[in-house]
Amino acid sequence: MDAPPPDGGPRPPLRLLPTGGAAHVSQPTPFGVGRPSGAGRDDITDVMQRVAHGDKQAFSTLYDALAPLVFGIVLKVVRDRAQSEEVTQEVMIELWRQAARYRPEAGSVTAWAATIAHRRAVDRVRSAQAASDREHAQAAREHTTAFDEVTEQVEARLESEQVRRCLRGLTELQRQAVTLAYYQGLTYREVAESLRTPLPTIKTRMRDGLIRLRDCMGVTT
């Protein structure tokens, strides 16, 4: 948003939109007041072309004409006045930065500005929704994690001695494999590499070891 205008000069300051008393904000200030009918579109196109060359006064004129329209479009989508004002400023800055890309044959300046305004408004709503979803998901994870940690601590105190006793009943390879997999989180392949034992052998020993542990601890399936 801080990129220089097309001529390399400083970007002109933007005026903040009023926060109150703007009941009718969906219509731009008309161009060519007092001129023959049909001159408005030509005027705003000329203004946009001057903006593309870094004309600050032209941008001020463009801002006065389009900011109310942009704000009205954004407000209908975002539904929040403060955020709508922010998005409007972003849209006007984008119009300043992208003015050189405007092509009259593709449509009117007003339609182009309206398209950018709607896209920016939708992006803001989606961004806000994504942030809200992340917050809810994080809160749910924290709640679940806290509950699971308490449960695991209780179960660990009750079963730790039994687990140690049952592990002593396994062969050395079985005990090492099970310990690496379930207490250190290693995969079968990582266990095999750590113990320098073929992967099929590790899988067999772990399967047999887990069956013995299950029977020793009285676990039913």
Side-chain angles (χ1 to χ4, degrees), residues 101-119:
R101 297 186 179 181
Y102 171 68
R103 295 293 179 269
E105 61 272 16
S108 68
V109 173
T110 301
W112 188 51
T115 299
I116 294 174
H118 186 267
R119 185 189 70 235

Side-chain angles (χ1 to χ4, degrees), residues 79-132:
R79 303 289 186 179
D80 179 87
R81 179 168 290 272
Q83 290 195 52
S84 296
E85 291 171 357
E86 292 179 4
V87 175
T88 297
Q89 302 301 329
E90 293 173 1
V91 172
M92 298 311 298
I93 291 173
E94 184 167 351
L95 290 176
W96 167 261
R97 295 176 57 195
Q98 304 297 332
R101 297 186 179 181
Y102 171 68
R103 295 293 179 269
E105 61 272 16
S108 68
V109 173
T110 301
W112 188 51
T115 299
I116 294 174
H118 186 267
R119 185 189 70 235
R120 282 272 187 170
V122 171
D123 288 346
R124 174 62 66 95
V125 171
R126 289 175 175 171
S127 177
Q129 184 61 51
S132 177

Side-chain angles (χ1 to χ4, degrees), residues 10 18 22 24 30 51 84 86 92 107 132 155-156 161 171 180 184 193 202 207 211:
H24 302 286
V51 171
S84 296
E86 292 179 4
M92 298 311 298
S132 177
E155 291 179 348
E161 180 56 36
T171 66
L180 289 172
Q184 297 186 27
E193 292 174 353
I202 288 297
R207 183 197 61 196
I211 292 174

Side-chain angles (χ1 to χ4, degrees), residues 8-29:
R11 178 168 55 83
L14 298 182
R15 298 179 297 282
L16 294 177
L17 292 171
T19 57
H24 302 286
V25 295
S26 60
Q27 296 298 324
T29 301

